[in-house]
Amino acid sequence: MKLVTWNIRGLNKIYKQKELNKFLNENKVGIVAIVEHRVKHQVAVKFVNKVAVEWNWSFNYQHTGKGRIWVLWNPTYFDFTILRTHEQFMHGLVKVYSLQMEFYFTDVYGLHTIQDMKVLWEELNCITQTMSDPWLLMGDFNVVLSVEDRVNGTPIQEAKSRDFKNFLQVTGVMEMKVEGRTFAWTNNHVYIRFDRELINPAWVQKWTHLEALVLDLLFSDHSPLSVTLEDRKEQVARPFKFYNYLVDHPEFMAIVETTWSRPNNSIPMVKVWKKLQKLKVESKILNKKEFAGISDRVKKTKEKLQVMFEEENYV
């Protein structure tokens, strides 16, 4: 089953409701967080019952009349216990029945002003102080980390980006591995990465195999962000082992220098982590190319030596 977050502006349009219902069914979505829907409080339940029949829901209308955030879940497969609501996020505990999986989930819709964003980081930092279990934060943060997150359009606001980077550095929260589209929002001229997937160290330690996917644009100017929740305990790859003999290989130091010199605009700790991940990949490639099947090769070499020895003695 999938967990999805999606900015769908104007969900009060009937065709968007039909398309969302189709998307949830065809993609096996069990929990979806929707932001910036612009549906009024008095008709919200009616609309939810159209797009997600017999699902449970929670809104944040109590913090803002616009109720910018909805979380909907299929009670057959998921439970979502709301722990905290805010104008800019909804936070709770997710349980996936079939996998016996539990984690904390925060859906985010960041407001646009620098002051509002400062409030968001402060509130999320408060949650971080008590968070020792796996935690997933997804949604439309309405801020970019670097110039690479925007193509065309107005220059990025350095103050916003700086506050976002500081939040990541202070809390230790990092970006999840992502596949699919690079930019989750576009108007076909400007391309921006506002929508993100963040995880804490406890998540990384427990579910290294889980990745996020930025899907193609459908009926919104934002792409849906999706995480497929699955248990792959029996398919976990063997842990990476670094063998000392690699250091003595003539190509090793060149690989290290090349990997470490590649530009990376992440915050310092994430930058080191990404470089180490890349170096691990390159080390595996070198090991496979030069030392794959080394035990069998040693065995065959011994057999050849034995044959040569016997032939010499026979002569």
Side-chain angles (χ1 to χ4, degrees):
M1 296 296 290
K2 294 182 176 65
L3 182 154
V4 170
T5 63
W6 202 351
N7 182 318
I8 309 176
R9 185 181 302 173
L11 191 54
N12 42 22
K13 296 179 179 178
I14 294 176
Y15 85 92
K16 289 191 176 185
Q17 297 168 31
K18 292 181 178 178
E19 289 296 322
L20 177 57
N21 176 265
K22 180 181 177 182
F23 172 84
L24 296 179
N25 292 327
E26 291 183 351
N27 291 276
K28 298 181 179 180
V29 178
I31 180 168
V32 59
I34 301 170
V35 303
E36 207 178 7
H37 44 75
R38 297 191 177 180
V39 176
K40 294 182 179 180
H41 192 187
Q42 56 266 34
V43 295
V45 174
K46 176 183 176 181
F47 283 5
V48 168
N49 287 332
K50 285 184 179 181
V51 301
V53 181
E54 297 183 352
W55 282 32
N56 293 340
W57 63 84
S58 187
F59 310 139
N60 76 331
Y61 287 103
Q62 66 270 40
H63 296 285
T64 168
K66 295 182 179 180
R68 292 185 176 91
I69 305 174
W70 290 353
V71 179
L72 322 175
W73 65 96
N74 187 332
T76 303
Y77 306 102
F78 285 84
D79 180 56
F80 182 59
T81 303
I82 290 290
L83 300 176
R84 190 171 179 187
T85 58
H86 186 271
E87 185 179 11
Q88 300 185 75
F89 65 84
M90 292 181 65
H91 173 73
L93 178 67
V94 172
K95 294 182 180 180
V96 188
Y97 297 133
S98 61
L99 302 178
Q100 297 183 337
M101 176 188 289
E102 290 188 9
F103 60 90
Y104 291 92
F105 169 62
T106 305
D107 182 55
V108 175
Y109 179 71
L111 299 179
H112 294 81
T113 71
I114 293 177
Q115 190 55 45
D116 284 329
M117 296 300 294
K118 286 183 179 293
V119 172
L120 174 63
W121 305 135
E122 290 172 1
E123 294 290 334
L124 293 179
N125 190 35
C126 289
I127 296 176
T128 307
Q129 304 304 315
T130 60
M131 189 62 61
S132 58
D133 296 313
W135 184 25
L136 171 65
L137 303 89
M138 291 173 63
D140 181 359
F141 287 79
N142 267 316
V143 62
V144 299
L145 273 174
S146 65
V147 293
E148 286 79 14
D149 290 336
R150 178 193 293 268
V151 175
N152 298 328
T154 58
I156 67 171
Q157 293 182 271
E158 292 293 339
K160 280 188 177 182
S161 298
R162 184 171 57 250
D163 288 344
F164 191 9
K165 291 176 183 177
N166 184 62
F167 166 74
L168 296 178
Q169 189 166 6
V170 169
T171 61
V173 171
M174 65 192 73
E175 294 191 77
M176 194 178 199
K177 183 177 179 181
V178 181
E179 301 291 340
R181 294 172 59 92
T182 302
F183 301 100
W185 180 88
T186 182
N187 60 4
N188 294 320
H189 172 66
V190 180
Y191 297 82
I192 306 177
R193 191 177 177 211
F194 280 147
D195 305 79
R196 293 184 180 274
E197 316 79 5
L198 306 176
I199 50 179
N200 69 342
W203 181 287
V204 177
Q205 293 171 9
K206 196 163 188 177
W207 297 309
T208 56
H209 65 282
L210 295 182
E211 301 176 355
L213 179 64
V214 182
L215 301 173
D216 291 334
L217 290 170
L218 296 172
F219 53 90
S220 173
D221 54 357
H222 286 257
S223 293
L225 308 184
S226 172
V227 176
T228 299
L229 301 170
E230 57 186 356
D231 189 351
R232 293 178 52 186
K233 291 181 180 179
E234 297 182 358
Q235 303 176 30
V236 175
R238 290 180 298 174
F240 172 68
K241 294 182 180 180
F242 181 83
Y243 297 100
N244 290 334
Y245 57 72
L246 282 178
V247 177
D248 297 324
H249 193 280
E251 296 181 18
F252 179 74
M253 287 308 300
I255 290 174
V256 173
E257 291 176 3
T258 301
T259 302
W260 225 256
S261 63
R262 287 173 181 163
N264 189 320
N265 294 310
S266 303
I267 61 175
M269 285 305 298
V270 175
K271 184 184 296 185
V272 172
W273 178 75
K274 288 184 176 180
K275 288 179 181 290
L276 288 173
Q277 289 294 310
K278 182 61 178 176
L279 182 58
K280 180 176 76 171
V281 172
E282 296 295 336
S283 297
K284 284 184 175 181
I285 294 172
L286 178 63
N287 185 62
K288 184 175 181 179
K289 182 178 75 171
E290 299 291 341
F291 303 103
I294 192 68
S295 298
D296 290 337
R297 288 156 61 184
V298 170
K299 181 179 178 181
K300 290 179 180 178
T301 302
K302 286 183 177 179
E303 291 174 351
K304 288 181 181 180
L305 289 172
Q306 182 64 29
V307 170
M308 292 173 60
F309 176 76
E310 291 175 354
E311 288 177 348
E312 288 179 359
N313 286 342
Y314 177 78
V315 173

PDB file of all heavy atoms in Angstrom, residues 282-295:
ATOM      1  N   GLU A 282      31.026   3.114  -5.679  1.00  0.00           N
ATOM      2  CA  GLU A 282      32.237   3.001  -6.496  1.00  0.00           C
ATOM      3  C   GLU A 282      33.155   1.890  -5.972  1.00  0.00           C
ATOM      4  O   GLU A 282      33.793   1.183  -6.754  1.00  0.00           O
ATOM      5  CB  GLU A 282      32.991   4.336  -6.509  1.00  0.00           C
ATOM      6  CG  GLU A 282      32.221   5.480  -7.152  1.00  0.00           C
ATOM      7  CD  GLU A 282      31.971   5.244  -8.633  1.00  0.00           C
ATOM      8  OE1 GLU A 282      32.734   4.482  -9.256  1.00  0.00           O
ATOM      9  OE2 GLU A 282      31.005   5.814  -9.175  1.00  0.00           O
ATOM     10  N   SER A 283      33.203   1.715  -4.643  1.00  0.00           N
ATOM     11  CA  SER A 283      34.029   0.652  -4.061  1.00  0.00           C
ATOM     12  C   SER A 283      33.487  -0.728  -4.427  1.00  0.00           C
ATOM     13  O   SER A 283      34.248  -1.659  -4.710  1.00  0.00           O
ATOM     14  CB  SER A 283      34.084   0.794  -2.539  1.00  0.00           C
ATOM     15  OG  SER A 283      34.694   2.001  -2.166  1.00  0.00           O
ATOM     16  N   LYS A 284      32.156  -0.837  -4.438  1.00  0.00           N
ATOM     17  CA  LYS A 284      31.545  -2.109  -4.845  1.00  0.00           C
ATOM     18  C   LYS A 284      31.882  -2.441  -6.292  1.00  0.00           C
ATOM     19  O   LYS A 284      32.163  -3.593  -6.631  1.00  0.00           O
ATOM     20  CB  LYS A 284      30.026  -2.039  -4.664  1.00  0.00           C
ATOM     21  CG  LYS A 284      29.546  -2.165  -3.231  1.00  0.00           C
ATOM     22  CD  LYS A 284      28.029  -2.184  -3.184  1.00  0.00           C
ATOM     23  CE  LYS A 284      27.511  -2.426  -1.774  1.00  0.00           C
ATOM     24  NZ  LYS A 284      26.025  -2.460  -1.738  1.00  0.00           N
ATOM     25  N   ILE A 285      31.829  -1.421  -7.151  1.00  0.00           N
ATOM     26  CA  ILE A 285      32.145  -1.630  -8.564  1.00  0.00           C
ATOM     27  C   ILE A 285      33.589  -2.093  -8.733  1.00  0.00           C
ATOM     28  O   ILE A 285      33.878  -3.040  -9.482  1.00  0.00           O
ATOM     29  CB  ILE A 285      31.891  -0.339  -9.369  1.00  0.00           C
ATOM     30  CG1 ILE A 285      30.385  -0.014  -9.381  1.00  0.00           C
ATOM     31  CG2 ILE A 285      32.418  -0.463 -10.791  1.00  0.00           C
ATOM     32  CD1 ILE A 285      30.056   1.340  -9.991  1.00  0.00           C
ATOM     33  N   LEU A 286      34.501  -1.420  -8.036  1.00  0.00           N
ATOM     34  CA  LEU A 286      35.917  -1.795  -8.111  1.00  0.00           C
ATOM     35  C   LEU A 286      36.137  -3.205  -7.583  1.00  0.00           C
ATOM     36  O   LEU A 286      36.859  -4.015  -8.187  1.00  0.00           O
ATOM     37  CB  LEU A 286      36.759  -0.802  -7.315  1.00  0.00           C
ATOM     38  CG  LEU A 286      38.269  -1.094  -7.248  1.00  0.00           C
ATOM     39  CD1 LEU A 286      38.876  -1.044  -8.647  1.00  0.00           C
ATOM     40  CD2 LEU A 286      38.963  -0.097  -6.324  1.00  0.00           C
ATOM     41  N   ASN A 287      35.501  -3.513  -6.461  1.00  0.00           N
ATOM     42  CA  ASN A 287      35.650  -4.841  -5.872  1.00  0.00           C
ATOM     43  C   ASN A 287      35.126  -5.934  -6.803  1.00  0.00           C
ATOM     44  O   ASN A 287      35.748  -6.996  -6.970  1.00  0.00           O
ATOM     45  CB  ASN A 287      34.914  -4.896  -4.537  1.00  0.00           C
ATOM     46  CG  ASN A 287      35.137  -6.209  -3.809  1.00  0.00           C
ATOM     47  OD1 ASN A 287      36.262  -6.546  -3.451  1.00  0.00           O
ATOM     48  ND2 ASN A 287      34.073  -6.970  -3.600  1.00  0.00           N
ATOM     49  N   LYS A 288      33.991  -5.651  -7.441  1.00  0.00           N
ATOM     50  CA  LYS A 288      33.399  -6.640  -8.344  1.00  0.00           C
ATOM     51  C   LYS A 288      34.272  -6.842  -9.586  1.00  0.00           C
ATOM     52  O   LYS A 288      34.455  -7.965 -10.054  1.00  0.00           O
ATOM     53  CB  LYS A 288      32.000  -6.186  -8.764  1.00  0.00           C
ATOM     54  CG  LYS A 288      31.258  -7.196  -9.629  1.00  0.00           C
ATOM     55  CD  LYS A 288      29.836  -6.734  -9.913  1.00  0.00           C
ATOM     56  CE  LYS A 288      29.100  -7.780 -10.756  1.00  0.00           C
ATOM     57  NZ  LYS A 288      27.681  -7.343 -11.032  1.00  0.00           N
ATOM     58  N   LYS A 289      34.816  -5.720 -10.098  1.00  0.00           N
ATOM     59  CA  LYS A 289      35.628  -5.799 -11.317  1.00  0.00           C
ATOM     60  C   LYS A 289      36.936  -6.542 -11.085  1.00  0.00           C
ATOM     61  O   LYS A 289      37.352  -7.363 -11.913  1.00  0.00           O
ATOM     62  CB  LYS A 289      35.920  -4.386 -11.819  1.00  0.00           C
ATOM     63  CG  LYS A 289      36.724  -4.364 -13.120  1.00  0.00           C
ATOM     64  CD  LYS A 289      36.953  -2.948 -13.604  1.00  0.00           C
ATOM     65  CE  LYS A 289      38.012  -2.257 -12.752  1.00  0.00           C
ATOM     66  NZ  LYS A 289      38.423  -0.939 -13.317  1.00  0.00           N
ATOM     67  N   GLU A 290      37.572  -6.270  -9.960  1.00  0.00           N
ATOM     68  CA  GLU A 290      38.914  -6.814  -9.732  1.00  0.00           C
ATOM     69  C   GLU A 290      38.954  -8.076  -8.866  1.00  0.00           C
ATOM     70  O   GLU A 290      39.856  -8.896  -9.001  1.00  0.00           O
ATOM     71  CB  GLU A 290      39.792  -5.731  -9.083  1.00  0.00           C
ATOM     72  CG  GLU A 290      39.968  -4.488  -9.930  1.00  0.00           C
ATOM     73  CD  GLU A 290      40.809  -4.758 -11.171  1.00  0.00           C
ATOM     74  OE1 GLU A 290      41.539  -5.763 -11.188  1.00  0.00           O
ATOM     75  OE2 GLU A 290      40.721  -3.963 -12.126  1.00  0.00           O
ATOM     76  N   PHE A 291      37.949  -8.210  -7.965  1.00  0.00           N
ATOM     77  CA  PHE A 291      38.067  -9.290  -6.981  1.00  0.00           C
ATOM     78  C   PHE A 291      36.834 -10.185  -6.908  1.00  0.00           C
ATOM     79  O   PHE A 291      36.705 -10.981  -5.966  1.00  0.00           O
ATOM     80  CB  PHE A 291      38.326  -8.696  -5.588  1.00  0.00           C
ATOM     81  CG  PHE A 291      39.550  -7.834  -5.534  1.00  0.00           C
ATOM     82  CD1 PHE A 291      39.440  -6.454  -5.533  1.00  0.00           C
ATOM     83  CD2 PHE A 291      40.818  -8.400  -5.518  1.00  0.00           C
ATOM     84  CE1 PHE A 291      40.560  -5.638  -5.486  1.00  0.00           C
ATOM     85  CE2 PHE A 291      41.949  -7.604  -5.471  1.00  0.00           C
ATOM     86  CZ  PHE A 291      41.837  -6.223  -5.460  1.00  0.00           C
ATOM     87  N   ALA A 292      35.932 -10.081  -7.875  1.00  0.00           N
ATOM     88  CA  ALA A 292      34.737 -10.928  -7.852  1.00  0.00           C
ATOM     89  C   ALA A 292      35.125 -12.400  -7.928  1.00  0.00           C
ATOM     90  O   ALA A 292      36.001 -12.799  -8.705  1.00  0.00           O
ATOM     91  CB  ALA A 292      33.818 -10.572  -9.028  1.00  0.00           C
ATOM     92  N   GLY A 293      34.472 -13.215  -7.100  1.00  0.00           N
ATOM     93  CA  GLY A 293      34.745 -14.658  -7.106  1.00  0.00           C
ATOM     94  C   GLY A 293      36.163 -14.986  -6.722  1.00  0.00           C
ATOM     95  O   GLY A 293      36.748 -15.953  -7.228  1.00  0.00           O
ATOM     96  N   ILE A 294      36.734 -14.181  -5.832  1.00  0.00           N
ATOM     97  CA  ILE A 294      38.152 -14.350  -5.493  1.00  0.00           C
ATOM     98  C   ILE A 294      38.449 -15.717  -4.889  1.00  0.00           C
ATOM     99  O   ILE A 294      39.493 -16.311  -5.147  1.00  0.00           O
ATOM    100  CB  ILE A 294      38.624 -13.212  -4.548  1.00  0.00           C
ATOM    101  CG1 ILE A 294      40.134 -13.194  -4.421  1.00  0.00           C
ATOM    102  CG2 ILE A 294      37.930 -13.309  -3.209  1.00  0.00           C
ATOM    103  CD1 ILE A 294      40.846 -12.795  -5.677  1.00  0.00           C
ATOM    104  N   SER A 295      37.511 -16.245  -4.114  1.00  0.00           N
ATOM    105  CA  SER A 295      37.734 -17.563  -3.489  1.00  0.00           C
ATOM    106  C   SER A 295      37.852 -18.655  -4.547  1.00  0.00           C
ATOM    107  O   SER A 295      38.740 -19.519  -4.482  1.00  0.00           O
ATOM    108  CB  SER A 295      36.595 -17.889  -2.518  1.00  0.00           C
ATOM    109  OG  SER A 295      36.537 -16.948  -1.488  1.00  0.00           O
TER     110      SER A 295
END
